[in-house]
Amino acid sequence: MLKKAIGSVIRELRTEKSLSQESLAEKSELDRVFISYLENGHRQPTISTIFKLSSGLGVKPEEIVKKIRKLHETQD
């Protein structure tokens, strides 16, 4: 399931950077509850949200997408 893959990747990148949901939300200019919804597979990000998350995580947007695609392909 795509939403689950997205959530797993966002959580993985966030924890690798030792960021709380609150600090990622602040760095990304997003709401902490939205970060939680993403990580738990309840929401899907838009492309602009992926760019905001990438900025907050200090990674390129394509790195996020590549990780999501790879995980999603293994879940199918």
Side-chain angles (χ1 to χ4, degrees):
M1 180 179 208
L2 184 58
K3 286 182 185 178
K4 194 170 198 161
I6 293 167
S8 294
V9 168
I10 299 302
R11 180 178 288 117
E12 174 190 327
L13 290 170
R14 178 179 61 76
T15 55
E16 282 177 6
K17 303 285 183 172
S18 300
L19 295 172
S20 66
Q21 287 181 347
E22 185 72 35
S23 59
L24 175 57
E26 192 174 297
K27 289 174 178 282
S28 303
E29 299 181 349
L30 297 166
D31 189 87
R32 189 214 52 87
V33 174
F34 183 68
I35 301 291
S36 176
Y37 285 158
L38 286 172
E39 289 186 0
N40 289 301
H42 299 297
R43 295 283 189 275
Q44 281 185 273
T46 63
I47 191 72
S48 61
T49 301
I50 289 174
F51 273 75
K52 287 181 177 185
L53 288 166
S54 72
S55 176
L57 291 164
V59 298
K60 293 180 179 178
E62 55 267 30
E63 183 179 335
I64 294 173
V65 174
K66 189 183 293 185
K67 286 178 174 279
I68 291 168
R69 188 187 74 206
K70 185 176 180 181
L71 183 58
H72 180 62
E73 288 172 354
T74 62
Q75 290 177 343
D76 285 344

